[in-house]
Amino acid sequence: MKKMFGNRRFKLIDVLLTTIIVFLAMTAILLVFFKGSSNNQLKSATSPSSDKDAVVVDKSDSKFEGIKIVTETSNDPLAKYAIQYPQSKNQDFNNKVVTYIRHAKKNYLEAIRDVKIEDNKRKSELNISFETHVDKKGNYSFVLMNNESLLGKKRLSEIESFHLNTKSGEQQDIQTVFKEDPSTLPEMTERVRKKIQHTEKLSDGVITDKMQIRTEPDWKNFENYAISEKSMIFYFESGSLKDEKSGPQVATIPIEEMNDLLKPEFQVASETPAKKEEAAKPDASKDKHAEGTADKDKPSKDETAKDDEQTGEGTAAPKTEEPHEKKIALTFDDGPDPKSTVQILDILKKYDAKATFFMLGSRVEYYPDTARAVKAAGHEIGNHSWNHPDLSKMPLPKALEEINRTTVIIQKVTGEKPTVFRPPYGAYTNQLSKQTIPPIKLWNVDTLDWKYRDANKLLEEVKKATKDRSTILMHDIHQSTADGLDGVMAYLQSQGYKFVTVSELDK
Ligand code: ZN
């Protein structure tokens, strides 16, 4: 009996040991697997938690599957531009978009070169932004808004839509969405006209002759369109339905009102009239948003607070606390970016540094995971407008909408409102600064990283200008900035600086 009992216990230990060994082996395999799947430049010296964060960030590239948002900015005061456009996995689509962007950029830069006026007061600007709409089958419509001003005067306000059928890779022109029937076009035209006449916001101020000409039954008149889950949206550029000042106009029509004209794959199931009302509502807000991006181009009567204001910040008297601690605030603008921002987070962690990230609302919408990772790492998040326009050149309500929309998305994504605000190009009106917006924080050391795009040059610029209580401007959308940051951090640390957020610096 005793012997048998002993044997049984022995078996129990065997089972336990085997289980432990199997468990350990599986853990080891899992660890290797996770390490391999994280293609980040992670220093093995950093703590394991950074591994975990990086994996989370890597998983989703953008909120819109298969689509990236590309942001290009120039902070040259004589040739400002902020350009955003979508990039997909479809090369034909990308080529078409990039060709359009290149053309717009070239036109703008050439026009500036031609005028050659070193006039700081009347600045030029190119701003290309876009809206993203996804239909019920996951196909994309991207509506690009191209606004250009030369020496303070509006030169161009253009709308251009691009479409991507995610399955076939085709770029759906407007006529490919509708049934091939001679009556389709005139009937569709009639419905769009009726929508314009019977929607208060659209009919108010409409110039009938203009509208009749602009909506003649020709597919070309309707080529700027989008399809969302429930609506067809038609875009009309500034001055085409109303006067110039009214900005672009948008007609939103529930898809079911077009059902009989559409090819079967674009039709939606008919809903009850009660539901129909509801269906039309969400897009009314999109309508409003599109109008918000309208270039109303009323020159602001306020004095523009220029970039020079930043010098005020640098001359702040150093505090007389002892022992004196040297502090600087690193700031990163125009992100987040799923690759370079994540790399920057890693480097900051290595130096136990806290920084401030001034984010664009449009990019937070695309890369919520990256924005969350910045927050989770304990950095300060600032508002840098929705898509980087010169706020000093737009009417106050429009400038406020740029800021508020960004605050809303940052809060939605990270759980907290941005604590500081930095206007694009450091440009704002006195009127804007008196509004209830987060405190404005500029900078006093410009690394010019957006211009050089050179990892080695970053340290040079920092060495030249940095002193105690400096606020350093960098851009986390540039790979060169991420690549040059480690050198900058090593240098600043060797100089005895403590890295703090902009809010902490001003405490
Ligand atoms: Zn910026």
Side-chain angles (χ1 to χ4, degrees):
M1 276 294 268
K2 251 188 178 177
K3 212 180 170 187
M4 262 182 75
F5 204 59
N7 259 347
R8 207 184 270 174
R9 202 165 55 191
F10 208 58
K11 271 183 191 159
L12 204 71
I13 287 168
D14 268 357
V15 170
L16 265 171
L17 273 174
T18 316
T19 314
I20 288 166
I21 287 164
V22 168
F23 179 74
L24 282 175
M26 276 176 73
T27 311
I29 289 165
L30 275 174
L31 271 176
V32 169
F33 174 75
F34 272 112
K35 267 244 166 106
S37 71
S38 140
N39 55 5
N40 260 283
Q41 294 93 326
L42 284 167
K43 320 277 168 309
S44 45
T46 56
S47 76
S49 71
S50 76
D51 263 278
K52 217 178 90 202
D53 291 347
V55 171
V56 171
V57 173
D58 268 356
K59 254 199 249 168
S60 92
D61 221 14
S62 136
K63 188 190 135 189
F64 300 101
E65 207 191 324
I67 308 294
K68 286 180 179 176
I69 179 173
V70 181
T71 301
E72 286 182 35
T73 46
S74 156
N75 294 327
D76 180 344
L78 295 176
K80 290 183 235 171
Y81 63 77
I83 300 170
Q84 298 191 312
Y85 58 92
Q87 196 181 66
S88 73
K89 288 171 180 166
N90 183 296
Q91 214 43 57
D92 289 342
F93 170 87
N94 292 348
N95 287 343
K96 201 174 169 192
V97 175
V98 167
T99 303
Y100 176 79
I101 296 290
R102 259 192 218 140
H103 185 71
K105 199 167 142 184
K106 194 174 156 236
N107 269 350
Y108 168 69
L109 293 174
E110 276 175 3
I112 284 177
R113 216 173 297 144
D114 290 346
V115 291
K116 276 182 188 162
I117 299 171
E118 302 263 327
D119 184 343
N120 250 331
K121 288 260 155 63
R122 291 184 300 148
K123 287 170 185 174
S124 303
E125 183 191 7
L126 170 66
N127 189 288
I128 303 179
S129 59
F130 70 96
E131 289 173 15
T132 307
H133 297 276
V134 193
D135 76 6
K136 63 179 176 13
K137 286 190 175 161
N139 301 317
Y140 288 108
S141 299
F142 303 99
V143 185
L144 271 66
M145 314 279 179
N146 176 351
N147 289 298
E148 188 189 313
S149 59
L150 201 65
L151 298 177
K153 277 202 178 141
K154 184 160 122 184
R155 196 172 94 107
L156 182 93
S157 173
E158 203 174 73
I159 300 169
E160 186 85 19
S161 71
F162 295 88
H163 305 269
L164 180 63
N165 184 307
T166 35
K167 259 198 183 148
S168 69
E170 277 168 321
Q171 297 166 41
Q172 292 159 182
D173 291 338
I174 182 76
Q175 64 266 49
T176 66
V177 171
F178 285 90
K179 280 179 187 163
E180 282 171 47
D181 187 289
S183 67
T184 301
L185 180 60
E187 183 57 35
M188 187 268 275
T189 301
E190 226 17 72
R191 291 183 198 179
V192 174
R193 281 177 175 169
K194 270 196 184 136
K195 189 49 106 184
I196 294 169
Q197 284 158 341
H198 295 111
T199 309
E200 206 183 316
K201 248 172 75 188
L202 283 168
S203 62
D204 187 22
V206 86
I207 300 163
T208 311
D209 291 351
K210 269 193 173 192
M211 192 270 274
Q212 290 289 343
I213 295 166
R214 182 61 184 77
T215 58
E216 267 178 3
D218 181 342
W219 289 116
K220 275 199 171 151
N221 281 331
F222 303 95
E223 62 187 359
N224 288 319
Y225 80 102
I227 307 181
S228 69
E229 228 167 272
K230 285 170 180 160
S231 308
M232 285 206 78
I233 309 155
F234 295 94
Y235 296 80
F236 301 96
E237 66 282 9
S238 283
S240 63
L241 302 184
K242 304 181 183 183
D243 60 13
E244 275 288 335
K245 279 182 182 169
S246 306
Q249 301 299 318
V250 180
T252 305
I253 305 176
I255 294 177
E256 38 176 320
E257 288 180 22
M258 287 282 188
N259 255 350
D260 54 322
L261 303 178
L262 293 167
K263 280 183 186 159
E265 63 263 43
F266 295 102
Q267 293 174 4
V268 294
S270 244
E271 291 175 50
T272 62
K275 271 193 176 176
K276 198 169 150 183
E277 283 263 327
E278 268 174 24
K281 268 178 194 164
D283 269 277
S285 65
K286 264 176 201 151
D287 188 312
K288 194 178 150 207
H289 150 226
E291 246 203 349
T293 51
D295 188 2
K296 285 175 188 162
D297 205 40
K298 268 184 214 143
S300 168
K301 277 169 197 140
D302 283 75
E303 288 282 316
T304 300
K306 301 266 155 47
D307 305 26
D308 343 14
E309 282 206 11
Q310 57 195 261
T311 46
E313 250 185 279
T315 52
K319 285 185 183 172
T320 49
E321 282 165 26
E322 39 115 30
H324 181 70
E325 198 176 24
K326 290 207 291 184
K327 285 178 193 168
I328 48 165
L330 302 174
T331 64
F332 298 93
D333 291 12
D334 301 359
D337 182 89
K339 187 163 179 270
S340 44
T341 304
V342 171
Q343 194 181 328
I344 285 168
L345 288 180
D346 224 29
I347 297 165
L348 293 174
K349 186 163 190 167
K350 183 176 153 189
Y351 291 90
D352 194 25
K354 291 290 174 272
T356 308
F357 290 77
F358 288 96
M359 298 181 177
L360 293 178
S362 52
R363 293 192 63 98
V364 174
E365 183 186 45
Y366 257 71
Y367 305 115
D369 284 353
T370 312
R372 268 191 289 272
V374 173
K375 178 85 200 163
H379 302 290
E380 181 167 36
I381 295 185
N383 181 326
H384 195 42
S385 82
W386 186 263
N387 58 39
H388 216 278
D390 182 340
L391 299 176
S392 71
K393 276 199 259 166
M394 51 174 64
L396 185 65
K398 212 182 133 191
L400 283 172
E401 200 197 301
E402 275 277 334
I403 299 169
N404 294 337
R405 211 178 148 203
T406 304
T407 292
V408 168
I409 188 99
I410 289 175
Q411 183 173 26
K412 192 179 151 204
V413 161
T414 69
E416 262 178 65
K417 283 183 181 174
T419 41
V420 281
F421 169 63
R422 174 174 288 168
Y425 313 107
Y428 61 96
T429 59
N430 290 332
Q431 204 189 357
L432 181 65
S433 64
K434 285 174 198 147
Q435 304 295 314
T436 345
I437 53 172
I440 294 173
K441 301 285 177 188
L442 299 176
W443 63 93
N444 45 39
V445 176
D446 189 349
T447 58
L448 300 175
D449 60 342
W450 55 272
K451 191 172 167 185
Y452 299 127
R453 308 278 187 97
D454 178 348
N456 300 317
K457 200 112 170 76
L458 193 66
L459 178 56
E460 251 177 69
E461 294 298 318
V462 168
K463 272 187 180 170
K464 251 192 256 173
T466 304
K467 53 183 186 190
D468 189 21
R469 308 191 66 77
S470 286
T471 301
I472 302 176
L473 170 66
M474 287 176 273
H475 295 84
D476 55 325
I477 45 167
H478 302 314
Q479 186 55 42
S480 53
T481 300
D483 291 340
L485 187 63
D486 201 308
V488 168
M489 300 296 289
Y491 165 77
L492 291 171
Q493 196 183 51
S494 75
Q495 299 297 302
Y497 285 111
K498 193 188 169 202
F499 306 101
V500 297
T501 63
V502 284
S503 290
E504 271 180 280
L505 191 69
D506 289 345
K507 259 183 201 166

